[in-house]
Every structure is written in C-alpha cells, then in structure tokens.
Amino acid sequence: AESLHSCIGLLGISAGSLLLAVHFYSSPRAAPLIPSTALGVLLLILSALLAYAGIRRSLRNASLLVSLCLTLSAFWCGYGVTLILAGQGVLAEPGDSRDALVPGLATLTLALLLVAVVGFLCGEPVLALVAAAVSLASAHEVALHYSSSLGPSAVACGHLVVCLVGGYFALGRILYFLTKGKVALPGTDLAEKKAQEQSRGSAGGTNPFAAPGLLLNVLSASVFCCRLLGVTHKLFLGHVPWLWAAGTYQIGICVLSYRAMDVLMATAFGFTSILQFAAGYCLLHPTWQPEEPSVPALFLVVFSILFAVLALFLSLQSPVDGLYLLVFVTYCIALACSPRGFFAGGPQGVAVAIFVASALVALIHLYNVRARAKIPTGKGAVKALLARSSLLKLREGPDLHTPYLGYSKYADAEVLAYACSVLAAFALTTPGDPQAPLATVVIPWVVVAGGILKLLGGSVAFARGKTLESSTFILYAVMWIIWGLTRFGGLYGTARSFHAAVGIVAFMLFNSFIVFCSLFLNMAWFFYSLTFMLVAVSFLLDAIHALPSGYDIAATLVFGLVSFYCFLAALSSSTFEGCCLPMGGAMVQLGGVGAGVSKCLHLPARKASSVKRIADILRNGGTCGIPTDTVYVLVAACNRPDAVEKAHRSKRQAQDRPMSLWISSLKQLEPAKHLFSPLLWDFMEAAWPSPISLVIPRGEWVDFLGMKDSAKYVGTPQSVAIRIPDCSVTTHLIDLVGPIVVTSANPTGEADTTHHNQVYAKLGDKVDAVLCGGPSPENIASTVVDCTKIDSGSIGFFRVGIIPKSQV
C-alpha cells in the first residue's frame, strides 16, 4: 500500500506537469492545444488524486511526500479553478488573469523551494528534484506575466524536468517489480525508504500534516501581501479560489491533525480556515454589490481572545507554534480596528508578518519531521519549567488521547466544537441591515464555524464513542447552517414564515431531549444545551414577530459565555493532568452503570501492553471482561480461588449454567494425557482451536491445572466444559496467566454481550478491568458438545451455537 500511494503521488505530479508543459509549449499559438477550461478541470482531477496519495500515506511513516502531495494538491486546486474562470471569460479585463494567478504562483514557488531544501538536506533527492523543478517553473511563470521576453518555453522546460524525474521513478519501480527487488535505481527503492522513515520519521509525536497547513497560511496571506506591495492592482473575484482552496484544504488538514493526535494544531487550523473563508467572502461580495462588506468588530475581538488562549496552551506543547499564533491575534485585532476589514492596509500589513512567520515555522516543521537532529522549538524548556511546579503537570504518554471506553483513531475535537459555538454565538450579536443582509460578514462565521466545523467536531466525537456529544454537535451544526443561510443569506427577508416557526419548534423538541440526557452527563453540558435552548427560543420569537428588543443578543451572549467556559475546560483537561476547570458531576445519578465509587479499567485490546496489564490483574486475583472469537466473556485465573469465587458471585451464576475452563494449547494438558481416552484426545486435537466447547468427564486431570479450591465452581460434579478459543488475544492472555475460568459477561438470564460497552454497562462495577476490542466478530455464542459418552460412539449437544451440528 505504501508503494502504491507513493507511485500515485509522484506519477500524478508528473502527469500534471506534462499537461502544463504541453499547455505552455503551445501557448504562443492562436489556439493552445489544451484550452484553459479543460486544463483547469484536469488539474482539479489531479489535485484530488494527489490529496488521496498524501492522505493515504501511513501516519507512522512521515515521508516528505505527504507535504509535497498535499501542498501541490491545494495549489493546483486553486490554479485549476482560476484557469476555469479565465476560460469562461469571468476574468475578462486586461491584467485580471495576471493579478489572479501571481499570488498563488509566487507562494507555490516559495513553498516548494522549502520542500526542496529539506529534501536535499534529509536525503530524499527524487522528491527534492521534483519540488525544485515545479518551483522553478512557477517562478518562470510569474516572470512571464511581467515580461514576455522570457517566453513560455522556459516554464514548459521546468515542467518537463518533472516529467523526466517521474519517468525515472516509474522506470525504477518497473525494474524493481520485474526483477523482484534485485534491481532498484537510486532513490526508487521504497522498501529501503520505508525502513528509514520508520527509524527517523515522526519521532517525538511530530505532526506530519502541520507543514502543509502552515504553507496554506502562506498562500492566503500572499493574496493580501501582493496587494499591499503593489504586485497586484486590486483584490477581486480572481483571488477567491486561492483563499477558499486554502480554507477547504485546511479543514482537511484539521481532520488529519486529529488523526495524528494533535488537538491544538488541529484547532489552530480550524481557526485559520474560518478566516480564509471570511476573506474569500469579502472579496466575492463586490461582484453583486458595489460596496465593500462590513466586518463585525465584537466578533473579531472574541476571535482574537480565542486565538490568544489557544496560543497560550500551544506554547506549553511548542513555544514556537504558540508564538506563531500570536500573529493571528494581531491580525484579528487589526481587522476589528479597520472599518474596511480585509481591504484596509493595516490587516494587509499584518498579512505580510503572517506570510513570513508561516514560511519560517513551516520550514521548521518540514525539517523536524524528517531529520534526526531536530530544530529546537522550546518544548524541553517548558517541560523543565513545569516540572518544578506542583500545581500543573502536562498530560503525556501513549494513552494521552485514549477515549474513556475502547480506542479511537482520532483525538478529541471538543475544543474546536466549543470554540465554534462561541464564534457563532457572538456573530449573531451583530446588527445587520435587513434590506442588505449580505453586506455584513456573518455567514462565514455562522455557517463555516457554527456549521461545517461543528459537524467535523460531531463526527470525531462519534468516532470516539461519544453518542450524546456527537448528536448534539451535529444537531446544533445543522441549526446554525440553516438559520445562518436563511437569516443572513437573504433568504429570510423581512417576511416571516409559519413554516420556519414549525421547523424551529421541531428542533426545540430534539434539544429538549438533549437537555434531559445532559442531566446524566455533567453540569457544564446541561447548561450548554439549556442556554442553546434560549437561542432557539429567540429564533422562534423572531419567526412569529414576537421577539423582545435585546432578547436575542442576551441569549446568544449567555450561550457564548457558557461555550467559552466549556472551551477553556476542554483545553485544560486535554493539556494538564487533573481537572483544572471542572465540568461538574452528573446532576441526576443512575443506579448501576457509573453509580459506584470506582470504575473498572478499560484497555484497548490492540495493544500488547493492555493484554499484559490484564494478565497482571488476573494473576493478582482480579476478574476481567475480555473479547473472544465469539462474544465477550468474564474470566478469572484458575489458580486464584478467590477470583473464581468473585466471578461466580458477580455473575449470579445459576446451577444449570456452570462456569467453563479455557486453555491456550493441549500442551497444558500433556502431563495428564494418560487420563484421557485416545479417541477423546484425538477429537480435542481435531476440534480446537475453535468456538466449540467440549463437555468431558471430570477426573483427576483437573488437579493438574492448579485449580485447588476453585474447582468446585467449575463445571458439575460429573463433567467440565473446556475449550481452546480461536482468538490470538485470548490465547496470548492464557499463555501469560495459565488456564482460566470463563463465563459469559452478562448476568444470568440476559443476552450475550457483543461489545465492550455492554460489558461495562452490565458488569462495570463488579469487574476489575475490561479489555476493549470493539464489536464482537460474531453475535452467537460457542457450540457446546457433550463428549461424556464419546468412547461409546455417541456425542450430544447442550447448545448449537456458531458451529453447526454437521460441522462438528
């Protein structure tokens, strides 16, 4: 898979460069071979292919190819849309195409130059040559727009170099496959590169997606830098593709950063994507209304506060990144102080600082992802400083982002979701002109922040098993999107609709259920959902022409402040050990689940260290719920009679459902082999490992397993059920502990448990740990075969489970 994605990435870049080479070689003609519209569509297709190649690269192997593919994909996306606009005559005025293309091309030149420098320094010559050639071609294209004496052939030559490197790479891979790895051209042996990446890449938890995200900030800042420096003559529609491509890709980088377990950088990229969508909206607005849109000052002040708080917490993880975010604090304040917003010189001056700072920090991240010797970012100094404090201790370790139950591929996104609630709430406090609702920049803050990014937070929460939180975030996101587009998108107008009121009432009914459920979660969530009900009430009153003056502003401010507290609490709990800002306990406590003083451990089954901890618990006399080849079971070590008795008691074991015995191999019964008949022994060898339990006569062989006093709880006085499970996790655990006593992980008479959450719900206060393996591979229990009369040539069935009679 790694080889496939690398080939797709490099050959996709070569294909795009071939298209551009053909386009520029034929551009002196009256009719180019590839029209602008067709070239733009093809670049969009290739940008999607490059994004796939970059995303699918393994997070454990942080190759420079990830940064190259994602960065070039974003730039070709913006470039393709700009070419489509030019081909359709949208950029019709003289100089429009040049003004639209130059900011993106100049940034692409710088971005790929940084990638090329790091590639040469870190021993990736093929990628460095590709990046350097595309960078050179982009620089020539910028020069071509200002001086026709250079000629388009120079641009085409740069892209042709990329094609040659791509051809060399393709030849190397073909030779590698034809010779079965015996012949590999230098730089094309991906097996060797993978070993190098695993040994030196992504050390210390470096986020491999941070560098592309930072380069996208360079892209958005370049649009305003070029205008301030006089490189372009105006800000207009032609710059929107660059800004919105950067914003869209940064949302993707945000998701990938959660995948890389980097909560703070993911939140930062979510914040910056909002600014880029807002900037694109402001540049798009003059196409249908001549005046420049107004930007709400209060909202930007709140946004600057969120950036400042995030910068403070990010400084504890990486002081360089924290200081970098302070530039965006300045940017928001500059926008708030400028009535013209993005069109004013003050914010554009700060954009120059963002351009420079983003390029420098991106270079640091690019280098640190690949190099053995890292550029220091100040993390060690912060850790040493906090080590002296007895109040604050940073969260660290492999289980930093492990969810409460089970495991997840994503870090928690609640910080971003709460921040989006703050932004959307304070955006609604902006008084707009009912006759011209689009003239006030509210839609990006409400729809992108309150809607799209909140949907992202809800999706990540769902992936982490947070059912109530994910449902709430998704429901609120839908409400923000619908209300934002209706009220502030010009669809609502001055007329109010009965249908809108009915829809809001339906939403309030859903939210009432969320408010009720949050009583069982914690106090902060109760107030979070309750105060949003106040916002929904303001929507309803507005729909029926009964909104009191100032109520909507008061309701949104209260909701915004509650969301801000939740934002701070989520940030502090994800950064520091211990609860710095409490979320409060459940206001209504249920009996049973979670009602006990202590809760059992929940350990992910995919980790060998988790199995080792479960083994230690069992050896020390504990009982645990574990996954098997069928359903979840409750287990105890045979040589701990107290644990077996505890399992028997917690299970409320009925006399007709005795506990069974599990081993990992027949070698554990070898000392007692003479006590079994040859036919029974051969049948056990043939049947196991499998989901088949054999009920065999009780005898002296039981004593060889070290059961001692616990034997009375296993089986009946005449027989014992025994099995070797067909599950590597379970058999490895038995190898560590020895034979175990097993019963189903549910109270007698209830249905079998097929997920670790069900084990926790039914027995969570009665077991010491649960090994979380997600859904069971099967929903049916094992087949139980009566072998007590096997020597007389007959077997019976106590229960026909997953294995049918015919197969037995």
Side-chain angles (χ1 to χ4, degrees):
E2 294 291 336
S3 173
L4 173 64
H5 301 140
S6 299
C7 293
I8 290 175
L10 281 171
L11 296 180
I13 295 172
S14 302
S17 294
L18 180 61
L19 290 173
L20 291 170
V22 172
H23 173 74
F24 281 103
Y25 267 126
S26 63
S27 61
R29 301 181 180 181
L33 290 177
I34 307 177
S36 294
T37 302
L39 180 60
V41 172
L42 291 173
L43 285 178
L44 287 177
I45 295 173
L46 288 173
S47 70
L49 194 64
L50 290 181
Y52 167 81
I55 292 171
R56 293 294 296 171
R57 286 285 294 177
S58 173
L59 290 174
R60 294 189 297 268
N61 305 326
S63 169
L64 202 62
L65 182 64
V66 173
S67 299
L68 178 61
C69 287
L70 292 178
T71 302
L72 200 52
S73 173
F75 280 92
W76 277 359
C77 178
Y79 193 15
V81 175
T82 306
L83 289 176
I84 292 173
L85 293 178
Q88 295 301 307
V90 178
L91 308 177
E93 295 184 13
D96 276 1
S97 294
R98 181 193 65 191
D99 287 348
L101 289 172
V102 164
L105 292 172
T107 308
L108 180 60
T109 302
L110 174 63
L112 294 188
L113 181 62
L114 297 178
V115 174
V117 169
V118 173
F120 283 121
L121 291 176
C122 297
E124 295 203 23
V126 172
L127 296 181
L129 280 174
V130 170
V134 178
S135 176
L136 182 63
S138 300
H140 281 157
E141 189 174 352
V142 172
L144 178 63
H145 283 293
Y146 289 94
S147 174
S148 58
S149 61
L150 183 66
S153 298
V155 183
C157 286
H159 289 297
L160 193 58
V161 172
V162 179
C163 298
L164 294 175
V165 175
Y168 169 82
F169 179 80
L171 177 63
R173 296 308 299 162
I174 292 172
L175 289 175
Y176 185 87
F177 283 116
L178 291 178
T179 61
K180 297 183 179 180
K182 295 180 181 178
V183 177
L185 297 179
T188 64
D189 187 354
L190 297 179
E192 179 184 352
K193 290 179 64 178
K194 182 177 179 180
Q196 294 174 355
E197 289 166 7
Q198 289 177 332
S199 65
R200 67 181 179 180
S202 189
T206 304
N207 179 1
F209 303 109
L214 293 166
L215 293 175
L216 293 174
N217 285 335
V218 178
L219 172 60
S220 59
S222 70
V223 172
F224 302 102
C225 294
C226 290
R227 178 67 192 94
L228 181 69
L229 300 176
V231 177
T232 56
H233 298 90
K234 59 181 177 179
L235 294 173
F236 69 119
L237 171 65
H239 295 135
V240 175
W242 298 115
L243 293 170
W244 282 6
T248 303
Y249 273 79
Q250 275 206 328
I251 291 178
I253 296 293
C254 176
V255 177
L256 293 172
S257 295
Y258 282 121
R259 184 72 173 80
M261 301 297 170
D262 193 348
V263 174
L264 300 181
M265 285 303 290
T267 307
F269 290 136
F271 283 3
T272 53
S273 70
I274 298 170
L275 285 175
Q276 288 156 13
F277 278 108
Y281 176 88
C282 290
L283 270 58
L284 186 64
H285 181 267
T287 59
W288 64 79
Q289 289 184 1
E291 70 274 5
E292 297 172 355
S294 60
V295 182
L298 176 61
F299 169 85
L300 290 166
V301 171
V302 173
F303 207 175
S304 67
I305 294 174
L306 291 178
F307 262 119
V309 173
L310 184 62
L312 176 63
F313 281 89
L314 188 57
S315 298
L316 302 175
Q317 174 181 300
S318 172
V320 169
D321 293 332
L323 292 173
Y324 165 70
L325 278 193
L326 293 179
V327 184
F328 287 94
V329 177
T330 308
Y331 191 48
C332 291
I333 295 174
L335 287 171
C337 296
S338 304
R340 296 183 61 206
F342 294 96
F343 295 90
Q348 291 173 9
V350 181
V352 176
I354 293 176
F355 183 91
V356 175
S358 299
L360 291 175
V361 178
L363 178 62
I364 293 173
H365 277 272
L366 281 170
Y367 185 80
N368 284 350
V369 164
R370 294 297 300 129
R372 293 182 183 274
K374 311 294 182 183
I375 298 176
T377 59
K379 182 178 180 180
V382 173
K383 289 179 64 176
L385 183 64
L386 290 177
R388 303 175 184 176
S389 172
S390 59
L391 299 176
L392 299 177
K393 185 179 180 182
L394 290 176
R395 284 186 180 271
E396 291 182 309
D399 298 327
L400 173 62
H401 300 289
T402 302
Y404 187 67
L405 287 175
Y407 67 93
S408 173
K409 295 180 179 179
Y410 297 89
D412 205 333
E414 286 192 5
V415 174
L416 179 60
Y418 290 134
C420 290
S421 296
V422 177
L423 295 175
F426 279 92
L428 290 183
T429 62
T430 305
D433 184 1
Q435 302 300 327
L438 295 175
T440 304
V441 185
V442 176
I443 285 183
W445 319 125
V446 176
V447 175
V448 177
I452 297 173
L453 290 178
K454 212 170 183 65
L455 277 174
L456 187 155
S459 301
V460 173
F462 181 80
R464 291 176 61 83
K466 295 187 173 183
T467 307
L468 177 62
E469 293 91 329
S470 64
S471 302
T472 305
F473 289 147
I474 292 172
L475 183 65
Y476 289 3
V478 171
M479 188 63 183
W480 284 125
I481 292 174
I482 294 175
W483 184 254
L485 292 175
T486 303
R487 176 71 184 276
F488 298 98
L491 305 177
Y492 205 33
T494 56
R496 301 299 187 257
S497 170
F498 170 77
H499 303 89
V502 172
I504 295 170
V505 169
F507 169 81
M508 292 173 65
L509 291 176
F510 281 113
N511 195 50
S512 299
F513 178 72
I514 290 175
V515 173
F516 172 75
C517 292
S518 64
L519 290 171
F520 304 95
L521 187 58
N522 58 54
M523 192 176 297
W525 258 92
F526 171 74
F527 285 108
Y528 178 71
S529 57
L530 183 64
T531 51
F532 193 80
M533 183 69 82
L534 300 179
V535 177
V537 169
S538 73
F539 296 164
L540 177 62
L541 294 177
D542 184 50
I544 62 175
H545 293 277
L547 181 64
S549 177
Y551 173 81
D552 54 341
I553 296 178
T556 51
L557 285 176
V558 171
F559 175 70
L561 292 174
V562 172
S563 301
F564 184 70
Y565 177 84
C566 293
F567 166 73
L568 291 177
L571 259 181
S572 60
S573 64
S574 65
T575 306
F576 300 110
E577 291 186 1
C579 195
C580 299
L581 290 176
M583 296 287 280
M587 302 181 71
V588 177
Q589 187 70 61
L590 287 174
V593 186
V597 177
S598 62
K599 297 180 179 180
C600 68
L601 286 173
H602 39 274
L603 304 169
R606 62 190 176 93
K607 293 185 176 182
S609 59
S610 300
V611 179
K612 185 176 181 299
R613 289 184 67 183
I614 293 289
D616 292 337
I617 292 171
L618 293 177
R619 281 194 290 261
N620 292 327
T623 59
C624 301
I626 64 170
T628 68
D629 50 348
T630 54
V631 295
Y632 278 77
V633 295
L634 176 65
V635 302
C638 281
N639 56 5
R640 293 302 301 256
D642 54 336
V644 177
E645 182 180 358
K646 178 183 176 182
H648 187 276
R649 188 171 57 250
S650 63
K651 179 71 166 56
R652 301 198 302 271
Q653 195 73 30
Q655 294 301 318
D656 59 341
R657 299 287 296 275
M659 303 174 78
S660 59
L661 183 67
W662 283 12
I663 56 178
S664 60
S665 170
L666 278 175
K667 292 181 180 179
Q668 292 174 320
L669 293 178
E670 283 283 356
K673 183 177 180 180
H674 62 282
L675 299 175
F676 295 91
S677 67
L679 179 60
L680 177 58
W681 189 267
D682 291 342
F683 186 56
M684 288 191 295
E685 283 186 328
W688 293 333
S690 70
I692 299 176
S693 297
L694 304 183
V695 178
I696 62 178
R698 198 183 192 100
E700 296 179 2
W701 62 269
V702 175
D703 299 331
F704 284 85
L705 299 178
M707 298 182 66
K708 301 178 183 178
D709 296 337
S710 60
K712 62 183 179 181
Y713 297 109
V714 180
T716 66
Q718 295 80 29
S719 61
V720 174
I722 186 170
R723 171 156 94 93
I724 298 178
D726 190 13
C727 175
S728 57
V729 172
T730 311
T731 53
H732 178 54
L733 178 64
I734 299 173
D735 286 337
L736 296 175
V737 177
I740 56 176
V741 173
V742 177
T743 184
S744 57
N746 55 275
T748 303
E750 296 188 12
D752 292 322
T753 49
T754 57
H755 197 279
H756 57 255
N757 287 344
Q758 296 176 6
V759 180
Y760 182 76
K762 295 178 179 181
L763 301 173
D765 56 341
K766 298 177 181 178
V767 296
D768 298 292
V770 175
L771 192 61
C772 304
S776 296
E778 303 292 344
N779 294 329
I780 306 174
S782 62
T783 297
V784 182
V785 182
D786 182 7
C787 296
T788 55
K789 300 179 181 179
I790 191 172
D791 291 326
S792 62
S794 65
I795 59 173
F797 291 86
F798 288 108
R799 178 179 68 198
V800 179
I802 187 173
I803 304 297
K805 287 185 178 181
S806 58
Q807 187 172 340
V808 175

